[in-house]
Amino acid sequence: MAAEIHSRPQNSRPVLLNKIEGHSDAVNAAVLIPKEDGVITVSEDRTIRVWLKRDSGQYWPSIYHTVSSPCSCMSYHHDSRRIFIGQDNGAIVEFLLSEDFNKMNHVKMYPAHQNRVSDMVFSLESEWVVSTGHDKSVSWMCTQSGSMLGRHYFDSWASCLQYPSLCVCVRAGQVSVCIVMFIFIRITSWGKGHFLSVLSLWWDPVQRLLFSGASDHSVIMWDIGGLKGRTLLLQGHHERVQAVRYLQLTRQLVSCSADGGVTVWNMDTPREEAPQWLDSDSCQKCEQPFFWNVKQMWDSKTIGLRQHHCRKCGKAVCGKCSSKRTTYPVMGFEFQVRVCDTCYDTVKDEDRTALATFHEGKHNIAFMDMDPSRGLMVTCGSDRVIKIWDMTQVVGCSIATGFSPR
């Protein structure tokens, strides 16, 4: 079922501690059990499994439960040991785990959606389960009564959800509820935001920062608490970013992509906001017309040029005036990008110092969970494999410990 790889970190890169195999289809979510040597997984093979580490160092399922429809997502609350499973048929099923994690009892079924559940969050404070689905809706249901409290429809289905807070105000005998939730469907603004579907979200309630990973291979930090509309673009992946996690204690962001890339970003350093791309009918450096500027092409008897943009200043430039490439990590560009010749001359060698480290998970990562107190990370994906990593030397956790044998 599982192979033990290492027991201690060897150097400053993720160390593979264990690899768990056994699912017959893609694993859509895997969650580390706090203070336990265990992992909870849900899969397209319609199974919910709780894996516990045995004395042999291998993981074996202490719970193996099959449901009626493929499992698409999961929300686990450790203090109450309640687990919510979103399914392909639109239903959400609640289970209660025993204290020894060897038994799981069915509690309730919620008819939340008419199609696949894409994401959900359970709030113990409000006793709500908030979910989004492929039926283009977000719903919130009461976990005490099992009834639907509200539903809102969008023009397209929502891919991910964060539900950071619930504010209840009582005035003159009336109760007003203010719901704060972040739902990304699709952002099409070129200057601000992603230009392809957002696949993952993470909310930091302390600094009030929202992080999003998307199909455009980028991560964006949205400074919600600053109230100035500030965003930071982070480009350090070659494939779609499917999992993000911010570590508030060490001010680091961990992002994982579909090609197995794991990037650790240093967010405890001054960063610059990427400029918005400017519009122009001609190169803002040499003033040569772009190919749609028919009038200037006719007047100057020249052939129009293709438009590009300098990533540092945002100006619209032609290929001749932007022939240079450089990294510029302070603005989030960890890979070489196009800059105009003027901006290239202003970039110093120290400006090219990387502000992120890059690692290989060596499998498709569709979901990731972390336990910062132990420096552990679990990844899973379409290859049906769950991997447990020791991230102590990478993220600088204060507690240098791995999974200890029982």
Side-chain angles (χ1 to χ4, degrees), residues 281-283 287-291 293 296-297 300 302-305:
D281 292 328
S282 58
C283 177
E287 299 183 351
Q288 289 295 309
F290 293 132
F291 62 85
N293 191 349
Q296 188 177 347
M297 285 192 294
S300 61
T302 58
I303 298 176
L305 305 175

Side-chain angles (χ1 to χ4, degrees), residues 5-17 390 392-393:
I5 311 299
H6 289 290
S7 59
R8 289 292 178 184
Q10 306 296 318
N11 48 35
S12 58
R13 69 168 185 256
V15 176
L16 183 59
L17 298 177
D390 190 329
T392 304
Q393 300 300 313

Side-chain angles (χ1 to χ4, degrees), residues 90 139 172 179 216 232 280 390:
S139 67
I179 309 168
D216 59 8
L232 293 179
S280 178
D390 190 329

Side-chain angles (χ1 to χ4, degrees), residues 75 77 82 84 121-130 143 163 165-166:
S75 180
H77 189 270
R82 296 162 75 180
F84 296 81
V121 178
F122 167 64
S123 171
L124 182 65
E125 293 77 12
S126 58
E127 285 289 347
W128 285 11
V129 56
V130 185
T143 56
Y163 175 56
S165 62
L166 171 71

Side-chain angles (χ1 to χ4, degrees), residues 201-370:
L201 289 173
W202 183 266
W203 168 251
D204 174 43
V206 178
Q207 295 181 273
R208 299 182 64 81
L209 302 174
L210 179 68
F211 297 89
S212 60
S215 296
D216 59 8
H217 309 175
S218 68
V219 179
I220 291 182
M221 186 201 82
W222 309 78
D223 188 0
I224 306 298
L227 301 177
K228 294 181 180 179
R230 182 170 179 258
T231 61
L232 293 179
L233 175 66
L234 305 173
Q235 292 189 340
H237 288 279
H238 296 291
E239 259 292 348
R240 59 186 183 276
V241 182
Q242 302 191 129
V244 291
R245 174 71 181 264
Y246 180 65
L247 307 177
Q248 204 279 330
L249 183 64
T250 59
R251 300 294 197 275
Q252 290 172 297
L253 174 70
V254 181
S255 57
C256 302
S257 58
D259 61 356
V262 179
T263 303
V264 181
W265 306 85
N266 178 13
M267 303 304 295
D268 193 25
T269 185
R271 289 182 178 271
E272 298 178 12
E273 190 173 2
Q276 295 193 35
W277 288 2
L278 302 178
D279 293 325
S280 178
D281 292 328
S282 58
C283 177
Q284 293 181 305
K285 293 295 182 179
C286 66
E287 299 183 351
Q288 289 295 309
F290 293 132
F291 62 85
W292 61 82
N293 191 349
V294 179
K295 184 179 184 303
Q296 188 177 347
M297 285 192 294
W298 178 265
D299 292 341
S300 61
K301 301 298 187 294
T302 58
I303 298 176
L305 305 175
R306 182 181 175 184
Q307 177 184 256
H308 301 281
H309 284 89
C310 173
R311 301 310 193 269
K312 190 174 185 295
C313 66
K315 289 184 178 180
V317 291
C318 65
K320 184 179 179 180
C321 294
S322 57
S323 59
K324 304 292 181 61
R325 304 289 186 274
T326 184
T327 60
Y328 197 54
V330 72
M331 204 172 277
F333 301 117
E334 294 289 340
F335 302 149
Q336 289 195 348
V337 292
R338 180 187 298 271
V339 293
C340 66
D341 296 346
T342 303
C343 287
Y344 182 85
D345 295 336
T346 64
V347 179
K348 302 176 182 178
D349 290 340
E350 54 266 29
D351 296 332
R352 297 183 175 91
T353 303
L355 298 179
T357 58
F358 305 93
H359 313 278
E360 287 294 331
K362 296 183 179 179
H363 77 140
N364 168 267
I365 300 178
F367 190 90
M368 173 264 292
D369 183 45
M370 294 191 70

Side-chain angles (χ1 to χ4, degrees), residues 24 37 68 71 89 112 176 184 210-211 213-214 236 291 307 333 357 385 404:
S24 60
D37 293 344
S68 60
C71 305
N89 61 8
S176 60
F184 273 77
L210 179 68
F211 297 89
F291 62 85
Q307 177 184 256
F333 301 117
T357 58
V385 176
S404 58

Side-chain angles (χ1 to χ4, degrees), residues 21-72:
E21 297 175 302
H23 282 284
S24 60
D25 208 334
V27 183
N28 290 322
V31 175
L32 292 165
I33 302 176
K35 302 177 182 179
E36 292 285 340
D37 293 344
V39 181
I40 305 173
T41 61
V42 297
S43 169
E44 290 286 339
D45 63 9
R46 301 187 296 115
T47 64
I48 306 164
R49 310 188 195 194
V50 178
W51 307 81
L52 296 181
K53 190 175 184 180
R54 307 303 180 182
D55 293 336
S56 63
Q58 295 185 341
Y59 283 81
W60 291 88
S62 62
I63 295 176
Y64 184 108
H65 184 81
T66 303
V67 292
S68 60
S69 182
C71 305
S72 56

